[in-house]
Amino acid sequence: MIRFDAATKRYPDGTVAVDQLTLEAPSGAITVLVGPSGCGKTTSLRMVNRMIEPTSGTVWLDDTDTASLPAHELRRRIGYVIQNAGLFPHRTVLDNVATVPLLLGEDRRRARASALELVERVGLDPALAKRYPAQLSGGQQQRVGVARALAADPPVMLMDEPFSAVDPVVREQLQDEFLRLQGELGKTIVFVTHDIDEAIKLGDQVAVLRVGGTLAQLATPAELLARPIDAFVAGFVGRDRGYRALAFAHGRNLPVREEPTVAVGSSHPGSAAGLAGWILAVDAERRPQGWLPTADELDETVTDSRLHRGGTLATQGGALRSALDACLSSPSGRGVVVDDDGRLLGSVTAREVLELIEERER
Amino acid sequence: MIGSVLGWLLDPEHWRSTPFDTGIWAQLGAHVGFTLIALAIAVLLALPAGLVIGHTGRGSWLVSAANAVRALPTVGVLVLLVVVISPHFYGRTNAGFLIPTEIVLVVLAVPPILSNAYAGVQNVPPQVRDAAFGMGMTGPQVLGRVELPNALPLIFSGFRSAMLQVIATATIASYVTLGGLGRFIYDGLAQKDYPQMIGGAVLVAALALISDLLVALVQRYAVSRGVSRRFRTDTGPDSRTAVLVEEDVR
Amino acid sequence: MSVDVLPLDASSSPLAFWSYFLDHRSTDLGWLWDHTWLSVVPVVVGLVLALPLGWLARRHAWVYPPMMSVTGLLYTIPSIALFVLIPPLFGLSVLSPLQVPIALSVYSTSLLVRVVADGLAAVPSETVQAATALGYRPLARFTRVELPIAVPVITAGLRVAIVANVSIVAVAGTIGLDNLGRLFDQGFTLSVNEPYYPPIVLGIVLCVLLALVLDAVVLVVDRLLTPWRRAVAAR
């Protein structure tokens, strides 16, 4: 648990970066600090490991006042990941990861062995362990940065815009793997970002800060979308809030109805089935492949190239947002629902999903 | 001409010392001696100072001040110091020539070492320094384990530049009647013995080239591949880089 | 014999350099002029040679390492050795008026090749690509886009080269070639019995002034060639 108790950072020239911040980041959860530039989010983060000393107020790490320890000892107990990773150019990936265990006095061989495990754990090819940072891509460097922060197995991690310097595709991969890793490790994490979508995706709770370093709202992502506390938060959280909030609403009982199918590779049953417009094609494992127009000529083999692939898939028990999206993106208007293994369960219509959404509201 | 120079160089008599003449080996030893003394003093003074100024960011005026020395003409300073100091040592040893020479050599060697150590530490990317502190390194650990290894290419470049200037200036020191390989150049000139003069120049050039090569080799092994980027087709910094760094710092 | 107990003769005091200058004005001005052109001309020659060589090293990646090695070796040779080695290599007489300018041109070229190549390398690749996309051919792109952007780096190299030259030219005075270095030779010869400072101090003062003036000239040229940097600074 990390607790900010009226923490304030005022610079000699009078500017206040963080003003009376009181906030608790619970153990085992991800707390995201988000806000526009100049809101003091990075300053707040850096006050935890005393890279910046608070002018007044206290930051607690469990029951310890962080100011009571020598700064370097405090920092060795806290994982720290920054933008562009900040890897040491003169050390190999392996030695970068082993840095903190070596500082703590672990012997070199053991430190390297556990570093190698971590390299694999963050999804890197162990062959990269002998490389230098300059030989890695930005995404790979960032993974090494995460592994390095995890190396001494600190209960607490601070992450300062760790994924903002990589391209959107890599960023999404890194975010997904980060969530998977956190599922295994359950660290207490404070995460800084300027990207509200990243905050909503990653945070167990999100703290929105406003310029001048004050806390505007602390809430779960769903609450933040549903009930922004004022115009600033509403504006910062942005448009499509209602739709984005559906990502946190789960449709456990989608009224799935059976959907006629045709197998890829078989021949076309045509309008004989009495279906208007489209029929769903599945593979041998009953995994949906795409929609086939029933207006096509009869008795022709169903091939991949004839399928319409615009539709997204929803899962039973998944978010209502993806259920609604499955309906809206399907050419037939029927949203395809699958189980956890990707096998077809059936279909729902947008009207049915909307009814569920309305029920939820009531 | 080339034949007679080769003849002078290859004559074993010229390499041995006689009661009347100091041979090439002895002069080479003297030259290397002046050079090593001056470099050792300069490194002891300038390297820690440059590293600490770069690390703390305080005292960079010292670097600028040292670099202003570059505008001074080496020969002039050498002659001036010899004229000022040597009377105090008259008649006893060659200290009257050795001390001013060493002072000039140290004065010349300090600026490149100082400004390159300073610039090397300053050039460490801020996020690398930030990460080092953030992981719990103490100030001296950050300097020794992170900033110094990353500053090594520029430090070596500064050292090579300093070494070449010292070797060159130690040659000129023979002009103020001190030993060293320059002796052959100035004696050859005075005696109109041009093979000796040119032979001396060949020896001086060879000493400089071989010394630089040796240090370049040490540099190759001392600097991490991750910093020198030897997996790329880039030639690293050499003595030329150092003088340009000084210009930057100024 | 000790100088400490002897009262300093007014004319041998270090501060007497100005009257020394007035007494030997024509000789000293002649040496100042020699020193000036010997410092400047090699840098101009060096720049003229270094521009195409540096361009070549940038354009063809394989040229860069050997060119840097060769010029690096030349730059490594001590000045006095190079002065002495130039005549036999170029078939000149042992003390020729050409040996100093040739040797200094070798140094200046060696330094500036690296400066030009690295300065061109520092031109943002987007800029080069944009210039190419706008239709510049390689030569025009070099002279109108890459070179102007590399000017600050190149002039920084020129300042280093020219200030270094002022000091190196004086070295040639020790082997009897005419320039301000002769003042040091005079002072040393005149100090055989007791210190005689005026020519030595005069030489140092004139060398430093010359270095500062030439440095300032390069700085002014740099400002004139890069008006956009002033625009940014003024904003």
Side-chain angles (χ1 to χ4, degrees):
Chain A
M1 190 254 316
I2 299 167
R3 193 154 50 84
F4 292 85
D5 190 358
T8 298
K9 180 66 194 180
R10 181 179 293 108
Y11 286 101
D13 66 358
T15 48
V16 177
V18 179
D19 194 7
Q20 298 278 326
L21 180 68
T22 297
L23 175 77
E24 188 177 310
S27 298
I30 303 175
T31 300
V32 180
L33 306 182
V34 67
S37 59
C39 73
K41 52 190 189 293
T42 294
T43 308
S44 304
L45 181 90
R46 288 162 69 88
M47 285 198 291
V48 176
N49 63 354
R50 287 174 55 203
M51 295 295 282
I52 292 174
E53 301 276 354
T55 322
S56 64
T58 316
V59 182
W60 297 86
L61 188 60
D62 293 324
D63 298 324
T64 317
D65 177 353
T66 50
S68 68
L69 291 173
H72 63 272
E73 276 178 34
L74 172 74
R75 291 171 188 158
R76 288 174 195 180
R77 301 182 188 180
I78 300 177
Y80 186 49
V81 187
I82 56 177
Q83 196 180 347
N84 294 317
L87 299 182
F88 301 144
H90 62 298
R91 291 192 182 164
T92 60
V93 166
L94 204 60
D95 288 339
N96 260 287
V97 176
T99 303
V100 180
L102 288 177
L103 282 174
L104 292 170
E106 201 171 302
D107 78 89
R108 193 167 288 271
R109 195 190 304 173
R110 270 187 42 203
R112 282 195 172 152
S114 46
L116 190 62
E117 264 172 49
L118 266 173
V119 167
E120 289 185 70
R121 186 144 198 191
V122 297
L124 283 173
D125 182 349
L128 296 178
K130 290 278 175 229
R131 298 242 182 121
Y132 287 95
Q135 294 168 292
L136 305 183
S137 70
Q140 289 170 330
Q141 291 190 23
Q142 210 49 258
R143 285 170 201 258
V144 178
V146 172
R148 184 173 66 173
L150 287 169
D153 199 18
V156 172
M157 299 251 286
L158 307 177
M159 307 181 80
D160 189 0
E161 307 231 6
F163 308 140
S164 58
V166 293
D167 67 71
V169 176
V170 176
R171 187 181 312 147
E172 191 153 342
Q173 279 174 10
L174 290 173
Q175 288 168 344
D176 291 341
E177 285 193 44
F178 168 64
L179 286 176
R180 174 185 61 77
L181 210 59
Q182 168 67 354
E184 295 170 13
L185 301 173
K187 302 283 184 193
T188 307
I189 295 173
V190 180
F191 189 110
V192 162
T193 180
H194 63 265
D195 174 0
I196 185 68
D197 291 321
E198 184 168 68
I200 284 171
K201 177 172 179 183
L202 300 181
D204 293 311
Q205 61 170 6
V206 177
V208 182
L209 304 181
R210 65 175 102 235
V211 176
T214 53
L215 180 62
Q217 186 171 7
L218 174 67
T220 63
E223 238 176 271
L224 199 64
L225 288 164
R227 283 180 284 278
I229 201 164
D230 59 14
F232 164 73
V233 177
F236 190 75
V237 171
R239 57 181 72 208
D240 304 333
R241 287 193 296 277
Y243 186 61
R244 281 151 65 200
L246 292 179
F248 300 97
H250 294 276
R252 284 180 218 300
N253 36 12
L254 285 172
V256 175
R257 95 164 48 81
E258 205 171 305
E259 179 71 31
T261 59
V262 60
V264 173
S266 70
S267 63
H268 192 322
S271 48
L275 289 156
W278 298 87
I279 186 164
L280 185 66
V282 294
D283 66 5
E285 307 279 319
R286 284 191 62 74
R287 281 190 290 254
Q289 299 298 301
W291 294 92
L292 188 74
T294 50
D296 274 19
E297 300 94 86
L298 293 171
D299 298 325
E300 249 186 58
T301 311
V302 178
T303 58
D304 263 2
S305 60
R306 294 171 59 198
L307 297 180
H308 178 290
R309 294 174 177 277
T312 58
L313 300 176
T315 51
Q316 183 64 284
L320 286 176
R321 176 178 172 157
S322 42
L324 186 59
D325 192 70
C327 303
L328 297 178
S329 63
S330 162
S332 68
R334 301 188 296 275
V336 180
V337 183
V338 295
D339 63 15
D340 290 340
D341 297 323
R343 291 199 186 81
L344 179 68
L345 288 173
S347 65
V348 289
T349 62
R351 186 178 303 274
E352 288 158 349
V353 177
L354 286 172
E355 270 168 25
L356 278 177
I357 293 169
E358 282 170 9
E359 270 171 41
R360 188 187 58 115
E361 295 293 323
R362 263 180 260 132
Chain B
M1 185 56 100
I2 291 173
S4 51
V5 172
L6 273 181
W8 184 85
L9 280 172
L10 295 176
D11 184 348
E13 290 300 312
H14 292 142
W15 289 77
R16 281 194 293 269
S17 292
T18 66
F20 312 104
D21 277 314
T22 314
I24 294 172
W25 284 123
Q27 297 292 30
L28 176 67
H31 203 123
V32 171
F34 306 146
T35 305
L36 289 180
I37 292 171
L39 282 177
I41 297 173
V43 167
L44 284 176
L45 290 175
L47 184 59
L51 291 175
V52 169
I53 294 171
H55 178 73
T56 61
R58 270 176 297 203
S60 56
W61 60 270
L62 202 66
V63 181
S64 316
N67 283 332
V69 168
R70 277 194 313 142
L72 289 173
T74 329
V75 200
V77 178
L78 181 66
V79 169
L80 182 67
L81 284 175
V82 168
V83 169
V84 171
I85 297 175
S86 62
H88 298 277
F89 294 89
Y90 186 78
R92 274 176 280 168
T93 54
N94 67 354
F97 295 110
L98 183 61
I99 288 174
T101 308
E102 287 296 342
I103 291 176
V104 173
L105 296 183
V106 170
V107 165
L108 279 176
V110 161
I113 298 175
L114 184 71
S115 49
N116 278 266
Y118 167 77
V121 172
Q122 287 275 301
N123 285 354
V124 173
Q127 71 267 22
V128 170
R129 193 176 292 121
D130 190 64
F133 276 112
M135 295 168 79
M137 290 193 185
T138 60
Q141 282 173 333
V142 173
L143 181 58
R145 300 191 191 187
V146 177
E147 290 172 330
L148 177 65
N150 284 292
L152 275 184
L154 280 185
I155 291 175
F156 268 100
S157 157
F159 180 79
R160 285 164 74 177
S161 173
M163 183 179 68
L164 295 175
Q165 288 195 54
V166 168
I167 291 177
T169 310
T171 314
I172 305 165
S174 303
Y175 166 71
V176 291
T177 64
L178 200 66
L181 293 174
R183 209 50 283 136
F184 301 113
I185 295 176
Y186 289 103
D187 287 353
L189 180 68
Q191 300 156 14
K192 297 213 184 319
D193 177 0
Y194 296 127
Q196 178 186 347
M197 180 178 173
I198 294 162
V202 170
L203 290 170
V204 170
L207 176 63
L209 290 173
I210 291 169
S211 309
D212 192 50
L213 194 71
L214 285 177
V215 179
L217 269 174
V218 174
Q219 178 174 358
R220 203 183 157 97
Y221 287 100
V223 177
S224 157
R225 244 166 23 96
V227 177
S228 65
R229 311 269 173 104
R230 255 194 294 123
F231 32 80
R232 296 207 190 150
T233 59
D234 231 351
T235 61
D238 56 26
S239 58
R240 285 171 292 185
T241 316
V243 293
L244 297 168
V245 166
E246 286 177 65
E247 175 66 28
D248 267 1
V249 168
R250 222 152 44 126
Chain C
M1 181 191 109
S2 165
V3 282
D4 294 327
V5 290
L6 288 172
L8 275 177
D9 179 356
S11 68
S12 73
S13 140
L15 296 175
F17 70 87
W18 186 243
S19 57
Y20 186 89
F21 173 67
L22 294 179
D23 289 348
H24 308 82
R25 200 166 37 192
S26 65
T27 324
D28 294 348
L29 283 177
W31 287 341
L32 179 60
W33 168 245
D34 288 330
H35 208 110
T36 308
W37 79 263
L38 283 172
S39 304
V40 173
V41 171
V43 175
V44 175
V45 173
L47 183 62
V48 168
L49 291 175
L51 284 177
L53 290 174
W55 175 77
L56 207 65
R58 246 322 115 190
R59 194 167 158 76
H60 304 287
W62 63 270
V63 178
Y64 184 84
M67 191 177 286
M68 291 309 125
S69 304
V70 170
T71 52
L73 283 183
L74 291 173
Y75 194 75
T76 301
I77 299 173
S79 53
I80 185 75
L82 198 57
F83 289 149
V84 173
L85 291 175
I86 291 287
L89 291 177
F90 283 77
L92 305 171
S93 64
V94 172
L95 291 183
S96 148
L98 279 179
Q99 72 195 107
V100 174
I102 291 177
L104 288 172
S105 300
V106 169
Y107 282 129
S108 301
T109 311
S110 299
L111 179 67
L112 292 174
V113 164
R114 173 144 207 163
V115 169
V116 171
D118 293 354
L120 291 177
V123 176
S125 64
E126 312 88 80
T127 309
V128 179
Q129 282 166 20
T132 314
L134 287 173
Y136 280 109
R137 288 194 216 173
L139 188 65
R141 192 183 66 201
F142 175 67
T143 55
R144 297 199 206 156
V145 179
E146 295 175 81
L147 203 52
I149 294 174
V151 160
V153 180
I154 295 173
T155 47
L158 287 176
R159 292 175 65 189
V160 170
I162 214 157
V163 171
N165 275 3
V166 173
S167 179
I168 298 174
V169 168
V171 171
T174 64
I175 54 171
L177 294 162
D178 282 344
N179 57 59
L180 293 175
R182 291 292 297 278
L183 286 166
F184 306 132
D185 193 41
Q186 278 187 341
F188 188 59
T189 317
L190 293 172
S191 299
V192 170
N193 293 318
E194 56 187 80
Y196 187 71
Y197 297 110
I200 306 176
V201 175
L202 177 66
I204 293 177
V205 168
L206 289 180
C207 278
V208 170
L209 285 178
L210 181 60
L212 293 179
V213 168
L214 293 179
D215 190 43
V217 170
V218 179
L219 205 58
V220 168
V221 172
D222 175 51
R223 291 294 133 85
L224 290 177
L225 285 177
T226 56
W228 62 89
R229 285 203 296 169
R230 257 176 308 157
V232 171
R235 208 170 45 185

